[in-house]
Amino acid sequence: MKVLLINGSPHAKGSTYTALHEMEQIFAGEGMETEILHIGNQDIRGCVACGFCGGHGRCAFNDVVNEAAQKFEACDGLVVGSPVYYASANATLVAFLDRLFYSTHFDKTMKVGAAVASARRGGLSATFDELNKYFTICGMPVASGQYWNSIHGNNADEAAQDAEGLQIMRTLAVNMAFLMKSIALGKERYGLPEKEPVCRTNFIR
């Protein structure tokens, strides 16, 4: 099984990475293939609603988003990690996720998602809530740990001292691995849930 971990921090080996790496070690112990994709230091523009992806199956801006799309389709689980600056996910990561989820039209049902937030002090739960919305809009089960998935630290050294935060990451990874394996067994025996045709309602009369 494959897990793709997105590092949305501009710092490749900062506190967000510290949290993701703690999870990565658990996944490896579960026999899962992992990759941490560092996108937080790249120049990623937001979606411009041009509609190109609808006819071509990829984003019009040919950058790391299209690269990540192939990895996203191939993975069984997606972990998104973000630093917190103004009580929300950082702008580069939001632009990346907007385009990644909007431009990819493969079925994401039952791919497992998990959000991780890293901050010096506050804004973690707001960021956690913001990131989870990407999963729930497309039928991805959300993995949980023993608390909200967060770690504290102004840098990697401080994050490494957050014993509770690191334990939360390990618990989250264990639970996510169990959920991914359980879903794989369920798909093998029962298949995916049947879907009704999508019904979209506009409230303009």
Side-chain angles (χ1 to χ4, degrees):
M1 306 193 81
K2 296 182 180 180
V3 184
L4 177 63
L5 301 96
I6 304 297
N7 182 0
S9 171
H11 305 288
K13 295 295 177 71
S15 52
T16 302
Y17 170 82
T18 301
L20 296 178
H21 182 59
E22 194 76 8
M23 296 182 69
E24 186 180 34
Q25 294 178 87
I26 297 297
F27 291 135
E30 294 282 346
M32 296 181 171
E33 181 181 333
T34 64
E35 179 181 357
I36 296 180
L37 183 61
H38 181 218
I39 60 95
N41 64 343
Q42 301 198 39
D43 185 13
I44 302 173
R45 65 174 302 159
C47 178
V48 295
C50 66
F52 180 89
C53 61
H56 296 81
R58 60 181 175 83
C59 184
F61 304 117
N62 194 23
D63 56 13
V64 70
V65 172
N66 287 335
E67 174 192 341
Q70 299 176 31
K71 300 176 187 290
F72 185 15
E73 185 172 13
C75 77
D76 303 285
L78 177 70
V79 182
V80 178
S82 177
V84 178
Y85 298 142
Y86 284 90
S88 63
N90 69 328
T92 301
L93 178 62
V94 170
F96 171 85
L97 292 174
D98 282 354
R99 286 175 48 212
L100 178 68
F101 276 78
Y102 191 76
S103 66
T104 51
H105 304 294
F106 56 82
D107 188 6
K108 303 172 183 68
T109 304
M110 296 302 158
K111 288 182 183 288
V112 179
V116 169
S118 165
R120 182 192 67 84
R121 188 168 181 85
L124 289 159
S125 61
T127 302
F128 176 63
D129 293 341
E130 178 184 11
L131 295 176
N132 281 328
K133 290 180 173 66
Y134 288 97
F135 310 135
T136 57
I137 197 172
C138 54
M140 293 175 62
V142 178
S144 60
Q146 66 193 52
Y147 193 72
W148 297 300
N149 306 333
S150 56
I151 193 167
H152 286 84
N154 200 40
N155 52 51
D157 290 338
E158 290 183 3
Q161 298 176 55
D162 182 5
E164 182 180 0
L166 293 174
Q167 185 180 63
I168 290 168
M169 296 305 128
R170 294 193 298 271
T171 304
L172 172 61
V174 167
N175 290 351
M176 186 173 177
F178 177 82
L179 185 55
M180 290 166 57
K181 290 177 180 179
S182 299
I183 288 172
L185 289 172
K187 285 167 65 175
E188 183 180 325
R189 181 163 183 178
Y190 303 110
L192 290 172
E194 292 186 13
K195 293 184 179 181
E196 294 185 15
V198 175
C199 177
R200 298 191 182 276
T201 304
N202 297 319
F203 292 95
I204 298 175
R205 299 289 185 264

